[in-house]
Amino acid sequence: DSAGAGDLVLSGGVYLGGEGAANKLDDYESGTYVPTWANITVGNATVNTATYVKVGDMVTVSAQLTFGSTTSVDGSSPNCSLPFASVGRRFYGVGNILDNGTQNYFARSSVVEDGAVCYISVNNASSTYSTTANITPTLPMSWVTGDNIRFSITYQAI
């Protein structure tokens, strides 16, 4: 993209709230990537995409996986790759699981102290939705073509 009328172009960064090094905003990046999943066979998924925005060391990721006929959950506690490694602390995001267009389940995404993956869990109906449970081949439902996993999370990168 080229700058046009009304655009502000800065080289090197901008200072917000002061002139110190900590006030300089000089790192912005956005993009897309194809996430890799553990404990999920992506197979012929019709959608497997993610976007990210990185400002300084804070990263916001939004991802979606839409199941095809050969997509399956293979084990417990699936996780999704992230574009940047985290600082090794817990961060939580939100998500949902859509049961082939008929039922929504609230999900939680979390980066849990181990680098560049995001774990996905679902609210646990057996404990009146006050806790989360690992996604499995049959939880929160039996997975079929058209089911979706979507999540968004903001975390601090290394």
Side-chain angles (χ1 to χ4, degrees):
D1 292 329
S2 61
D7 289 336
L8 176 63
V9 178
L10 302 171
S11 62
V14 63
Y15 290 87
L16 302 173
E19 296 179 19
N23 299 88
K24 185 176 182 184
L25 176 60
D26 61 352
D27 182 14
Y28 173 88
E29 180 180 341
S30 65
T32 61
Y33 71 101
V34 177
T36 56
W37 294 83
N39 295 327
I40 291 181
T41 298
V42 174
N44 65 344
T46 58
V47 176
N48 182 27
T49 62
T51 62
Y52 69 89
V53 174
K54 182 175 183 280
V55 179
D57 63 356
M58 297 305 295
V59 183
T60 299
V61 173
S62 295
Q64 178 178 343
L65 175 64
T66 301
F67 282 53
S69 62
T70 63
T71 307
S72 61
V73 175
D74 301 324
S76 182
S77 191
N79 65 70
C80 177
S81 65
L82 296 170
F84 304 95
S86 74
V87 294
R89 293 196 330 246
R90 291 180 185 244
F91 297 92
Y92 296 100
V94 296
N96 80 322
I97 294 169
L98 181 60
D99 180 4
N100 202 19
T102 61
Q103 178 69 42
N104 273 300
Y105 297 91
F106 179 75
R108 180 174 76 177
S109 56
S110 59
V111 176
V112 187
E113 301 175 11
D114 64 351
V117 296
C118 183
Y119 292 90
I120 313 299
S121 55
V122 65
N123 272 10
N124 188 354
S126 65
S127 59
T128 62
Y129 299 100
S130 61
T131 62
T132 58
N134 289 333
I135 293 170
T136 69
T138 58
L139 186 75
M141 72 275 185
S142 294
W143 297 86
V144 298
T145 300
D147 290 343
N148 281 275
I149 296 175
R150 298 177 185 151
F151 74 87
S152 179
I153 190 164
T154 298
Y155 67 98
Q156 187 176 10
I158 294 176

